[in-house]
Amino acid sequence: MKKTALLTAMCSTLIVSLPVDATPQITVTSGDATSTQSTTVVPAPPAVTSTTKVTDTPSGTQTVTPHAPDVESIVKHTPVLRVYEAVAKEILVPYSMKPVTKASLNRFVDFQFSAAAQADFKEMFGNPDPLHFGLRDLPNGDVELTFLMQSLDYKDSKFNTQSRWEPMSGQVTYSKDLKHFVSSADWPYFSQGFGNDASIEFKKMHISQDAFYNAHFLTLGKAHFSIPEVNFHFGDAGKMGYVRGVELNSNTTQQGPLMNMDISSGVDEVFVGGQMIGPIRFDYSILNINEAPAAEFLRQIVDLNRNTPDFDQRVVASKKIFDTKLLPVISPNSRFEIKELSVVYQALKAVLKGAVWLDHPKKQDMSSPALLFKKIAAHVELTMPKALALKITKLVSSLKPGPDAEQQTNAGLQALIAAGMIKEENDQLSVVFDYANGMKKVNGHDINDKPKK
């Protein structure tokens, strides 16, 4: 995937910026000489519906006020998604899941967007060609691909939104055989405002990758993504907040026919609703996935988006792909491990660890979702200081009516401790959940529904 690194950098940052609609989508780096294997295609924005509201005035007459456009239409018309839509449709999907060649790299540099995309860019950037690429041969035989997306400062009077960002730039250095690459990209500043109601701002986004292509053009290796600062507000100043120190690291490896992915992610601080939370950690692994079926599953999704422009038809066809091609990706030894999911609140830390796996599945189990579901087993451990549990019960009780809500909630907590459903030791609470053969246990206690007599 020729743009693997390049558009891993460019489009990953675009994806992170704003929420995407519920269209079936997969974002995986792998593939062809001209693309990050991001197979997401955002459909064309729907027509904005404008309803009216009729109100009585003091004079007895009526006024008709246009209703604000729906949120989905507003978001879809933001420049970041309009740019991403063009990149996905015209650059990413056509070249996904193909080998990298010098010809495909040259084709990438010579690429021109469609007339419709150029008209869109002209409106937003004042320039029909805001995305520029360069290619050069290095003395050691490597090949360097660079890109630059120009800055933007755009106001949309129709939707009362404002977008602003500084230039995004990056580079991909391919090995002489074009099978290994090192990439990096930076987006110093991005902001999106929605009238006076809401805004979000990202600073110093960075993404890098050191990876290679396997036999099926999937990308194996390490990737890193970080955002030091995110600011947002919704409504008045009292609803302002921020996130600091967002990081995500991944490492995808392959042993024989199986793939593993290790993910470590975290946030230093989250300030929202007047409360400070953090740090937050979520480290997990997806183990023993069948590589060839995974590649075939992704290839069919890519081909669907490449060859089926109609959105409704894609939805129907994608369901069939999920029904028939996703199950073979799971091997009898597939496993999901949570190494650490932790949250710190007011210096009190809650930690969850555990795993989900298949309990001795037979060959016929692997061909049926219903049979496979019966083979699921899990072990999860949750620990937290009792002081944190009391803060949680206080929060929960504040949502309940009645003057005795907090006392009742605390009494319920104490009853669970007394019954052994929650273990207390040195002011530390713990819960161990086990599930196997359809049976559930908490701290060794059977919590299955008893058969009625």
Side-chain angles (χ1 to χ4, degrees), residues 8-25:
T8 293
M10 187 177 104
C11 291
S12 293
T13 48
L14 286 173
I15 293 170
V16 168
S17 313
L18 283 175
V20 182
D21 68 352
T23 305
Q25 53 189 272

Side-chain angles (χ1 to χ4, degrees), residues 147-202:
F147 80 90
L148 173 70
M149 184 174 68
Q150 75 176 61
S151 61
L152 176 140
D153 192 348
Y154 175 77
K155 293 183 179 179
D156 190 323
S157 58
K158 180 178 180 181
F159 294 101
N160 191 25
T161 62
Q162 181 170 354
S163 305
R164 187 165 73 87
W165 65 63
E166 295 179 11
M168 181 200 299
S169 61
Q171 66 180 37
V172 187
T173 302
Y174 292 94
S175 60
K176 185 176 181 180
D177 62 5
L178 301 177
K179 293 182 179 180
H180 174 263
F181 68 87
V182 177
S183 69
S184 66
D186 292 278
W187 204 357
Y189 182 83
F190 167 87
S191 68
Q192 178 64 52
F194 302 91
N196 297 321
D197 299 324
S199 69
I200 190 164
E201 175 185 67
F202 297 84

Side-chain angles (χ1 to χ4, degrees), residues 270-412:
V270 178
F271 181 78
V272 61
Q275 299 292 321
M276 181 71 73
I277 304 170
I280 300 171
R281 296 289 305 173
F282 187 19
D283 299 342
Y284 63 94
S285 297
I286 302 172
L287 305 174
N288 302 320
I289 298 298
N290 286 321
E291 184 273 335
E296 178 59 23
F297 172 77
L298 293 174
R299 183 181 301 281
Q300 293 215 12
I301 293 293
V302 169
D303 289 343
L304 173 64
N305 285 284
R306 180 186 291 134
N307 302 321
T308 310
D310 181 78
F311 174 70
D312 291 334
Q313 292 180 10
R314 285 206 309 272
V315 170
V316 174
S318 64
K319 184 180 183 303
K320 183 177 180 181
I321 293 174
F322 273 79
D323 290 343
T324 59
K325 297 298 180 180
L326 186 56
L327 192 60
V329 174
I330 302 172
S331 78
N333 295 316
S334 290
R335 184 179 177 91
F336 176 69
E337 291 187 354
I338 301 175
K339 300 174 183 176
E340 178 181 349
L341 173 54
S342 63
V343 179
V344 176
Y345 175 65
Q346 295 184 359
L348 300 171
K349 184 177 182 179
V351 180
L352 185 145
K353 298 180 180 180
V356 179
W357 66 95
L358 299 175
D359 187 16
H360 299 96
K362 298 178 181 179
K363 185 176 180 180
Q364 59 265 32
D365 296 330
M366 303 304 300
S367 61
S368 167
L371 293 175
L372 199 60
F373 184 79
K374 294 180 180 180
K375 295 294 183 176
I376 290 178
H379 175 85
V380 179
E381 301 177 6
L382 172 65
T383 59
M384 71 173 68
K386 188 174 182 179
L388 179 56
L390 292 174
K391 288 179 181 293
I392 294 173
T393 59
K394 185 174 182 179
L395 174 62
V396 171
S397 63
S398 68
L399 305 176
K400 296 181 178 181
D404 299 327
E406 185 172 351
Q407 291 86 338
Q408 292 174 359
T409 305
N410 284 336

Side-chain angles (χ1 to χ4, degrees), residues 58-335:
S59 62
T61 59
Q62 292 183 322
T63 59
V64 179
T65 305
H67 191 280
D70 61 275
V71 173
E72 183 180 12
S73 294
I74 294 174
V75 171
K76 285 185 175 181
H77 280 80
T78 57
V80 68
L81 287 185
R82 292 165 69 182
V83 170
Y84 180 75
E85 180 185 34
V87 170
K89 283 185 175 180
E90 301 185 25
I91 296 181
L92 297 181
V93 172
Y95 299 103
S96 294
M97 302 290 288
K98 297 178 182 178
V100 180
T101 65
K102 194 62 180 293
S104 65
L105 289 172
N106 285 322
R107 208 163 50 236
F108 181 46
V109 173
D110 297 334
F111 177 83
Q112 283 191 331
F113 284 99
S114 65
Q118 291 187 43
D120 225 18
F121 294 158
K122 175 70 174 177
E123 175 197 341
M124 294 183 291
F125 293 90
N127 175 5
D129 185 22
L131 188 56
H132 306 282
F133 303 95
L135 184 68
R136 69 186 183 109
D137 295 323
L138 301 180
N140 64 353
D142 291 351
V143 180
E144 182 183 76
L145 183 66
T146 60
F147 80 90
L148 173 70
M149 184 174 68
Q150 75 176 61
S151 61
L152 176 140
D153 192 348
Y154 175 77
K155 293 183 179 179
D156 190 323
S157 58
K158 180 178 180 181
F159 294 101
N160 191 25
T161 62
Q162 181 170 354
S163 305
R164 187 165 73 87
W165 65 63
E166 295 179 11
M168 181 200 299
S169 61
Q171 66 180 37
V172 187
T173 302
Y174 292 94
S175 60
K176 185 176 181 180
D177 62 5
L178 301 177
K179 293 182 179 180
H180 174 263
F181 68 87
V182 177
S183 69
S184 66
D186 292 278
W187 204 357
Y189 182 83
F190 167 87
S191 68
Q192 178 64 52
F194 302 91
N196 297 321
D197 299 324
S199 69
I200 190 164
E201 175 185 67
F202 297 84
K203 295 183 179 180
K204 298 182 180 180
M205 286 183 283
H206 174 77
I207 187 169
S208 61
Q209 205 171 0
D210 186 343
F212 64 93
Y213 308 114
N214 71 1
H216 294 105
F217 314 118
L218 297 179
T219 306
L220 306 177
K222 297 181 179 181
H224 168 80
F225 177 77
S226 63
I227 311 177
E229 183 176 347
V230 181
N231 302 303
F232 57 86
H233 92 271
F234 301 97
D236 56 34
K239 296 181 181 178
M240 298 178 65
Y242 62 79
V243 181
R244 299 287 185 267
V246 179
E247 283 211 29
L248 186 147
N249 295 282
S250 68
N251 185 24
T252 304
T253 58
Q254 182 175 348
Q255 289 82 39
L258 300 177
M259 289 177 59
N260 298 322
M261 179 177 287
D262 297 312
I263 308 288
S264 64
S265 58
V267 176
D268 291 338
E269 295 178 349
V270 178
F271 181 78
V272 61
Q275 299 292 321
M276 181 71 73
I277 304 170
I280 300 171
R281 296 289 305 173
F282 187 19
D283 299 342
Y284 63 94
S285 297
I286 302 172
L287 305 174
N288 302 320
I289 298 298
N290 286 321
E291 184 273 335
E296 178 59 23
F297 172 77
L298 293 174
R299 183 181 301 281
Q300 293 215 12
I301 293 293
V302 169
D303 289 343
L304 173 64
N305 285 284
R306 180 186 291 134
N307 302 321
T308 310
D310 181 78
F311 174 70
D312 291 334
Q313 292 180 10
R314 285 206 309 272
V315 170
V316 174
S318 64
K319 184 180 183 303
K320 183 177 180 181
I321 293 174
F322 273 79
D323 290 343
T324 59
K325 297 298 180 180
L326 186 56
L327 192 60
V329 174
I330 302 172
S331 78
N333 295 316
S334 290
R335 184 179 177 91

